[in-house]
């Protein structure tokens, strides 16, 4: 969020001329060679805003609205969770008002129960999920291995762990579990760091900030505006908690090496980036070099981002990392990285080749069309189900600019939808955002999942200081298949977070990682969805287990359904035979 034109009182920043010239040259080299609207009309409607009829009546409140305090502008994420185990996705909305204030600012987080058709009822009070804090992000996972999904919440202030009781209610067990870190928490993720079968926890922290330390900053025309994080020169350390298996966690940040580095952390995504069978951690930092924490198999991690080529962009510059997600763009089994950034920086794609990354943003056609926007939320899915991944980007400014999209809201921007064209390329879809009636806002977190149970992927948006929105997918035309990967029979049914799935259908091969922790401060559906185009069957599905166990092959499967893959019920295969 190092926004051009904003500076704290008494500080100077470099002029914008050279930066804009470079951006313009890059735009010319990367944005004019995309093919036409390959595969569909340029004005195709992809989504329908169904917020009003859905019953999702959540209004986000920003911390100290219009006081130009730094936390106001960053907003919060949103979480999808099947909290009652009925098979559909419920929505957990994070509130960012000052919990010490009265009135609307003191509202709690809200939980909305899905009736299965995409209509929601507020069940906050009955469920006990109404945590009151300055909410920022959330992770969903079964940390206590009882078969129910739990919630971890990051705050500006002490974080919280809500244990699912299995009867539609939650209990705050933060103190007993030992995970109430007090900082400026942002994105967070459950994952199995030590391959012992239970879920550990990673938390990104932004900056060291208090209301008393807030600085007055100015922007365009010398008017008061929001500061950048580097105005404070106070980057935070991230936190790594190891699950002890008895309902408690232990802070292993120092021993694991995580506290060896600082950063303005906003995004995190976990995967096996070097292909050694262990889960690694990638952190997107705002205005500082990103971090790639490679798992060293002994409880420690080493930052290999610079050596691996994903610390800074192709020009050697650190960018304003907000949201981040993995995708396997080449379907080669190596997880690639996509992240959202500040206006004039573009969103950035790093393509992975056996643990080494290259900035391929220009080649992918993503550079020019994102230069005018500040991206936060990020979702990657095959929305039209043609067999190619598409991108949904939630935008919204963090500083005023000389040109605005909305005369009444200088921070509002349109969201963007990029259609996958194949061969690692994308093209922005029109109308902007894929909706008939485009709107301007400040989207922060967004979550992907099948909200209405029809098989395709919908979008839930968290709007900073405004009402949350639901975009129902109306553009899916191809066939689809879904997979839920779970623990062996005889154990409580738990999603195996970190499992990697290889789907073979005819001559086509696709990879996905089972995870809900990606984007910006949000939790997505923990299932793997594949668009199949005209195919009606999947020949085989290979699951690579995050604990290093022997891969298993399942199938064949019919399209048009979500299939449950139970560990131990597939055919074991040697790893070399399936990758």
């Amino acid at each position: 969020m190092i926004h051009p034109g904003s500076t704290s009182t008494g500080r100077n920043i470099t002029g914008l001329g050279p930066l804009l010239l470079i951006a313009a040259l890059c735009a010319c080299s990367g944005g004019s060679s995309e093919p036409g609207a390959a595969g569909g009309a340029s004005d195709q409607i992809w989504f329908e805003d169904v917020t009003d009829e859905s019953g999702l009546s959540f209004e986000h409140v920003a911390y100290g609205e219009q006081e130009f305090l730094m936390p106001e502008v960053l907003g919060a994420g949103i979480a999808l969770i099947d909290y009652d185990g009925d098979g559909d996705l419920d929505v957990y909305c994070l509130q960012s008002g000052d919990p010490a204030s009265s009135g609307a600012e003191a509202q709690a987080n809200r939980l909305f129960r899905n009736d299965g058709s995409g209509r929601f009822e507020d069940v906050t009070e009955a469920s006990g999920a109404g945590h009151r804090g300055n909410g920022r992000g959330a992770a969903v996972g079964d940390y206590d291995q009882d078969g129910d999904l739990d919630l971890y919440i990051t705050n500006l202030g002490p974080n919280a762990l809500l244990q699912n009781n299995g009867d539609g209610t939650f209990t705050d067990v933060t103190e007993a579990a030992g995970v109430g870190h007090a900082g400026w928490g942002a994105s967070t993720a459950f994952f199995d760091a030590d391959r012992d079968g239970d879920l550990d926890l990673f938390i990104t922290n932004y900056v060291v900030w208090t209301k008393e330390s807030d600085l007055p900053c100015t922007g365009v025309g010398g008017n008061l505006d929001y500061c950048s994080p580097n105005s404070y020169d106070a980057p935070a350390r991230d936190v790594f908690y190891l699950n002890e298996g008895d309902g408690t966690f232990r802070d292993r940040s120092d021993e694991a090496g995580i506290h060896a580095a600082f950063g303005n952390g906003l995004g995190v995504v976990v995967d096996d980036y070097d292909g050694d069978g262990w889960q690694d951690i990638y952190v997107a930092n705002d205005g500082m070099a990103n971090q790639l924490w490679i798992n060293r198999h002994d409880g420690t991690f080493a930052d290999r981002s610079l050596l691996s080529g994903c610390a800074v962009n192709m020009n050697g510059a650190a960018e304003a990392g907000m949201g981040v997600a993995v995708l396997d763009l080449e379907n080669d089994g190596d997880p690639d990285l996509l992240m959202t950034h500040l206006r004039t920086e573009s969103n950035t794609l790093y393509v992975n080749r056996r643990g080494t990354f290259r900035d391929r943003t220009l080649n992918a056609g993503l550079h020019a069309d994102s230069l005018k926007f500040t991206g936060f939320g990020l979702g990657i899915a095959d929305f039209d189900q043609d067999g190619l991944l598409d991108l949904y980007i939630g935008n919204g400014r963090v500083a005023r600019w000389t040109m605005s999209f909305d005369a009444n809201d200088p921070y509002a921007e349109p969201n963007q939808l990029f259609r996958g064209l194949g061969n690692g390329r994308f093209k922005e879809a029109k109308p902007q955002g894929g909706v008939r009636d485009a709107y301007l806002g400040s989207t922060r977190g967004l979550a992907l999942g099948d909200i209405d149970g029809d098989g395709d992927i919908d979008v839930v948006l968290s709007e900073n200081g405004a009402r949350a929105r639901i975009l129902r997918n109306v553009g899916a035309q191809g066939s689809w298949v879904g997979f839920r990967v779970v623990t062996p029979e005889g154990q409580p049914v738990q999603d195996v977070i970190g499992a990697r799935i290889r789907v073979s259908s005819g001559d086509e091969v696709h990879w996905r990682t089972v995870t809900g922790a990606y984007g910006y401060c949000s939790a997505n559906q923990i299932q793997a969805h594949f668009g199949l185009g005209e195919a009606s069957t999947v020949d085989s599905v290979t699951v690579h287990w995050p604990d290093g166990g022997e891969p298993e092959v399942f199938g064949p499967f019919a399209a048009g359904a979500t299939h449950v893959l139970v560990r131990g019920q597939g055919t074991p295969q040697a790893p070399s035979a399936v990758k």
Side-chain angles (χ1 to χ4, degrees):
M1 201 182 74
I2 312 301
H3 38 82
S6 176
T7 178
S8 59
T9 301
R11 295 174 182 260
N12 295 313
I13 62 172
T14 304
L16 288 175
L19 176 61
L20 292 179
L21 177 60
I22 292 171
L25 292 173
C26 291
C28 290
S29 65
S32 60
S33 60
E34 291 98 333
S42 61
D43 59 351
Q44 173 187 341
I45 303 303
W46 294 59
F47 301 104
E48 178 184 2
D49 190 327
V50 296
T51 307
D52 288 341
E53 55 263 47
S54 73
L56 188 71
S57 56
F58 178 77
E59 189 87 14
H60 178 263
V61 176
Y63 184 100
E65 286 188 341
Q66 299 307 308
E67 295 181 25
F68 292 100
L69 300 174
M70 192 179 179
E72 287 178 24
V73 76
L74 288 177
I78 202 159
L80 300 181
I81 175 174
D82 181 10
Y83 85 98
D84 52 1
D86 62 356
D88 52 51
L89 291 172
D90 311 301
V91 179
Y92 190 72
C93 299
L94 295 157
Q95 190 59 275
S96 303
D98 185 348
S101 301
S102 59
E105 291 81 2
Q107 294 177 11
N109 300 340
R110 310 299 296 180
L111 176 63
F112 293 85
R113 183 181 181 275
N114 191 342
D115 70 359
S117 69
R119 295 183 181 274
F120 294 88
E121 174 190 5
D122 190 333
V123 295
T124 306
E125 279 70 31
S127 67
H131 174 71
R132 291 181 181 272
N134 189 272
R136 297 292 154 178
V140 171
D142 184 8
Y143 85 93
D144 54 0
Q145 299 182 290
D146 63 354
D148 303 309
L149 291 173
D150 309 298
L151 270 166
Y152 187 74
I153 302 161
T154 61
N155 292 310
L156 174 58
N159 299 332
L161 177 61
L162 302 186
Q163 182 184 44
N164 193 327
N165 298 318
D167 59 0
T169 68
F170 290 85
T171 299
D172 188 333
V173 296
T174 309
E175 185 175 354
V179 289
H181 181 79
W184 185 338
S187 296
T188 180
F190 282 114
F191 74 113
D192 187 359
D194 53 0
R195 304 208 310 190
D196 65 351
D198 54 34
L199 294 176
D200 309 302
L201 189 58
F202 190 91
I203 300 113
T204 58
N205 283 315
Y206 191 47
V207 298
V208 179
W209 180 94
T210 65
K211 192 171 183 177
E212 293 70 30
S213 69
D214 196 77
L215 298 171
C217 294
T218 55
V220 172
N223 296 314
L224 198 63
D225 211 339
Y226 294 106
C227 296
S228 78
N230 283 0
S231 297
Y232 295 88
D233 193 24
R237 285 178 168 142
D238 298 329
V239 177
F240 169 57
Y241 286 114
L242 190 71
N243 192 332
E244 298 282 55
D246 59 359
T248 67
F249 291 79
R250 184 157 50 103
D251 187 339
R252 290 293 304 271
S253 307
D254 281 324
E255 297 93 327
I258 301 300
H259 276 178
F262 294 84
N264 304 319
L266 285 179
V268 65
V269 66
V270 177
D271 212 316
D272 179 10
Y273 297 106
D274 58 356
D276 66 352
W278 292 73
Q279 298 288 286
D280 311 305
I281 307 161
Y282 186 81
V283 177
N285 287 314
D286 185 359
M288 300 181 68
N290 303 317
Q291 293 148 0
L292 175 60
W293 295 106
I294 294 296
N295 195 323
R296 298 200 290 194
H297 314 172
D298 60 359
T300 67
F301 294 83
D303 181 9
R304 302 293 188 218
S305 56
L306 190 60
L307 292 175
S308 299
C310 55
V312 294
N313 68 10
M314 60 184 174
N315 298 317
E319 298 179 295
M322 314 291 200
V324 61
V326 292
L327 70 165
D328 191 341
L329 194 57
E330 300 175 309
N331 290 309
D332 59 357
D334 295 323
D336 310 311
L337 289 162
L338 179 69
M339 60 203 70
T340 54
H341 292 124
L342 189 69
R343 174 181 50 79
T344 75
E345 290 181 348
S346 90
N347 301 323
T348 302
L349 171 70
Y350 294 101
V351 173
N352 184 1
R353 297 285 177 84
R354 298 178 178 85
T356 300
F357 293 84
R358 293 184 65 191
D359 183 341
R360 306 294 288 176
T361 309
L362 289 170
N363 307 68
L366 293 172
H367 187 271
D369 287 331
S370 61
L371 280 174
K372 294 188 295 184
F373 307 99
T374 293
F376 276 87
L378 166 62
I380 300 174
D382 186 356
F383 293 113
D384 58 355
Q385 299 177 170
D386 64 351
L388 301 170
L389 289 171
D390 312 301
L391 317 175
Y392 188 94
I393 311 294
N395 295 318
R397 290 181 181 173
V398 295
R400 296 172 186 264
W401 189 236
T402 52
M403 298 179 63
S404 64
F405 292 96
D406 185 343
N408 298 315
D409 184 355
Y411 303 98
E413 291 182 340
N415 292 338
Q416 293 175 284
L417 173 69
F418 291 86
R419 179 174 190 161
L421 302 177
N423 297 320
R425 296 183 63 77
F426 297 89
K427 182 176 178 62
E428 186 178 3
K430 303 295 181 180
Q432 206 152 36
V435 293
R436 186 181 308 278
D437 300 315
Y439 68 93
L440 297 171
S442 294
T443 299
R444 292 301 182 249
L446 67 87
L448 302 185
D450 181 9
I451 294 295
D452 52 2
D454 63 355
D456 53 35
I457 301 300
D458 310 300
V459 184
V460 184
L461 305 175
S462 174
E463 298 289 329
N464 191 36
R467 187 179 180 185
R469 292 175 178 262
I470 295 182
L471 303 184
R472 182 170 65 90
N473 189 329
V474 296
Q477 299 175 3
S479 63
W480 65 278
V481 68
F483 295 101
R484 185 182 179 196
V485 183
V486 301
T487 46
E489 191 173 359
Q491 299 181 15
V493 178
Q494 304 165 60
D495 295 287
V496 182
I497 292 174
R500 305 204 67 233
I501 301 177
R502 179 185 187 272
V503 165
S504 175
S505 179
D507 295 331
E508 300 292 327
V509 171
H510 302 281
W511 287 82
R512 301 283 191 276
T513 300
V514 177
T515 181
Y518 59 87
Y520 176 76
C521 293
S522 296
N524 304 265
Q525 184 174 21
I526 310 174
Q527 288 184 14
H529 171 273
F530 297 83
L532 298 176
E534 298 180 356
S536 59
T537 60
V538 165
D539 300 325
S540 65
V541 179
T542 305
V543 178
H544 293 254
W545 305 104
D547 63 2
E550 241 181 356
E552 294 181 53
V553 179
F554 301 80
F557 295 101
T562 296
H563 305 277
V564 179
L565 308 180
V566 181
R567 185 168 191 175
Q569 295 185 3
T571 302
Q573 296 286 318
S576 60
V578 293
K579 183 176 179 180

